[in-house]
Amino acid sequence: MAESRLVGSYPVIGIRPTIDGRRGYLKVRESLEDQTMNMAKAAAELFKKHLRYSNGEPVKVVIADTTIGRVGETAACADKFRREGVDITLTVTPCWCYGAETMDMDPMTIKGVWGFNGTERPGAVYLASVLATHAQKGLPAFGIYGHDVQEADDTEIPEDVKEKLLRFGRAAVAVATMRGKSYLQIGSICMGIGGSIIDPAFIEEYLGMRVESVDEVEIIRRMSEEIYDHAEYEKALAWTKKYCMEGFDKNPEEVRKSREQKDKDWEFLAKMMCIIKDLMNGNQNLPEGCEEEKVGHNAIAAGFQGQRQWTDFYPNCDFPEAMLNTSFDWNGAREPYILATENDVLNGLGMMFMKLLTGRAQIFADVRTYWSGDAVKRAAGYELEGRSKEADGFLHLINSGAACLDANGGAKDADGNSVMKPWYEVTEEDQKAIMAATTWNEADFGYFRGGGFSSRYLTDCEMPVTMIRLNLVKGLGPVLQIAEGWTVKLPEEVSDTLWKRTDYTWPCTWFAPRVTGKGAFATAYDVMNHWGANHGAISYGHIGADLITMCSMLRIPVSMHNVPEEKIFRPAAWNAFGMDPEGQDYRACAAFGPVYR
């Protein structure tokens, strides 16, 4: 759908059809050839139909040239997969096979095994045997086994098997896509925020990525020396003038900028956005003599420090952050970038996780305030209803910079419901509606002495969303928090009353988590009280189960979640680490350790 912005090919899924290697008079192997290869073909078609890379293209799937019954065929498959760039393998079988001879022994591939639930041949026996061998060798694999017995000639994949195959595939493609890419920090630590204190060892050992750093002054150098794509800049500025509506200016009249100064700020911000894109991924259209700058940093995600050394003097980065994280710009729909405000790398990486899983733009926000039902009634005279009443309140998600504009709900599905679409489904009509629901308000000079423009909108609809936070804990390492819930639609006058108690010029989203009545999810207050940092990354949809699966691949334990237990899918080896699922997760992640260490 779109050319990749990154150096390096996308990960490939390899299907390994394993089979009982016995031949002889009863022709055991021969009788299973078609059934085994048909399982491989069915899995491949499922992946190609439902899974996409971040650039919108269907995933590439290859199948071993033959079924795999003995070690020579295992070696031939491995050789083909090396040539094809396979990072992810799915072994499928309806029967007993010689486990240690036929298993995937590559320590760097992400592994799944689907054993057919049938009575004619013991596919479940092979599944259990080979998963035990994987665990014994320290090569965790995901086991997939259907709930109901199938007939030997069934070619349809059961729904429960489809769900696990796709969850495994989505998470594995996301994990493998990160490998070899960069996180680019522009600037460094912002206002003492722990999340912007970058830890290269974590990024290298857990994600297989590298850290790249440039000083913010590089943006000024490129402006001063005109090291940017001039045609791109002119197009960006014209689009900005046409579609970016200015909102009210909250600053006192005596300190407001003139129209001429504001126009110059818009030129500065459009140029700044172009330059940040070039820093992340390079640009072959830069002027002659700028061959070094044309290369870029191969960044799959980035962060901008901003406060305060930049924003006390220059226009803030709110416009570039918001627009880069959005699913379109002056070139139309395109893959969202990930650019974290305040260089909160941990929140930026959380946004990256969810973008790779969904293909959708992401929200970056402060987890700023808990509003109880009583507090809302006292402040606005309103009795909570629906999701927020169930949670005894909601959280106010609001931040000046990096929330994608898609979050205002301007895009609609076929039934007219607000939705945040995968970027490759965003239409021109969606783009116009999203821009029409957004104003750009002069920055609050109390926060940003250099000015700039902050996006302003209200998420005035109910949408399913998932909020996460990646944290680093001394002596423990990385952990992830997950809260599934919904955006909350309040009556206009209630939103106004509550919104005006904080910064009324920033994008505003009310969020009610799904509560369970106990622990960290007893109420919305408990979610707020257990949250590990001042920021959260928010994605459309309830994707907590996919995140749990992905984190197990990365060896990052999940410290808090409200995902239904039946949706949790981790490698089979996790079952050996005790009976409580979350304790299993911590112990298994510690035992197996980072993949890239």
Side-chain angles (χ1 to χ4, degrees), residues 185 188-198 342-346:
Q185 61 169 353
S188 185
I189 302 168
C190 176
M191 299 195 302
I193 294 172
S196 65
I197 303 172
I198 205 156
E342 296 165 347
N343 190 38
D344 186 343
V345 55
L346 296 179

Side-chain angles (χ1 to χ4, degrees), residues 281-294:
N281 302 126
N283 186 343
Q284 292 304 306
N285 295 321
L286 296 184
E288 288 300 315
C290 301
E291 281 69 29
E292 186 177 355
E293 290 87 349
K294 290 180 181 182

Side-chain angles (χ1 to χ4, degrees), residues 141-175:
F142 291 80
I144 300 166
Y145 181 59
H147 184 273
D148 296 321
V149 171
Q150 291 184 261
E151 302 304 319
D153 58 356
D154 282 352
T155 57
E156 184 68 24
I157 303 176
E159 289 303 314
D160 62 326
V161 173
K162 282 183 182 178
E163 183 178 3
K164 287 186 174 180
L165 286 172
L166 292 175
R167 181 152 294 134
F168 166 77
R170 270 193 300 272
V173 168
V175 168

Side-chain angles (χ1 to χ4, degrees), residues 105 131 149 197 207 265 276 298 328 410 512 517-518 561:
M105 290 278 284
L131 290 175
V149 171
I197 303 172
L207 309 182
D265 282 353
I276 290 174
N298 201 34
F328 60 89
K518 59 183 180 181
H561 73 82

Side-chain angles (χ1 to χ4, degrees), residues 501-518:
R501 293 174 66 109
T502 182
D503 200 299
Y504 196 50
T505 65
W506 295 348
C508 169
T509 302
W510 314 108
F511 169 67
R514 185 198 308 117
V515 294
T516 63
K518 59 183 180 181

Side-chain angles (χ1 to χ4, degrees), residues 359-518:
R360 302 175 199 264
Q362 302 296 308
I363 306 169
F364 183 118
D366 279 354
V367 185
R368 183 163 285 222
T369 309
Y370 162 69
W371 279 98
S372 69
D374 288 344
V376 172
K377 187 174 182 180
R378 186 183 70 249
Y382 175 69
E383 292 273 2
L384 295 184
E385 301 175 353
R387 313 280 192 191
S388 56
K389 183 177 182 179
E390 292 170 13
D392 188 27
F394 50 80
L395 309 184
H396 193 186
L397 308 180
I398 184 170
N399 190 283
S400 69
C404 63
L405 304 191
D406 304 64
N408 66 28
K412 300 292 190 289
D413 64 16
D415 298 319
N417 300 309
S418 291
V419 66
M420 293 170 63
K421 296 179 179 179
W423 72 265
Y424 42 81
E425 295 178 3
V426 173
T427 66
E428 287 189 28
E429 183 180 0
D430 294 329
Q431 296 166 44
K432 290 177 180 178
I434 289 168
M435 294 305 294
T438 305
T439 59
W440 298 89
N441 293 48
E442 178 67 55
D444 182 332
F445 293 163
Y447 286 106
F448 306 115
R449 298 178 192 173
F453 293 92
S454 298
S455 59
R456 181 184 186 274
Y457 61 77
L458 175 67
T459 308
D460 195 27
C461 56
E462 182 178 293
M463 296 187 290
V465 293
T466 301
M467 181 169 75
I468 71 171
R469 175 65 194 187
L470 180 64
N471 296 302
L472 290 178
V473 180
K474 181 78 170 179
L476 173 62
V479 292
L480 192 81
Q481 296 174 295
I482 303 171
E484 294 184 339
W486 297 267
T487 62
V488 175
K489 179 178 172 61
L490 297 174
E492 183 178 355
E493 64 277 10
V494 176
S495 271
D496 255 18
T497 299
L498 304 185
W499 193 359
K500 284 175 178 174
R501 293 174 66 109
T502 182
D503 200 299
Y504 196 50
T505 65
W506 295 348
C508 169
T509 302
W510 314 108
F511 169 67
R514 185 198 308 117
V515 294
T516 63
K518 59 183 180 181

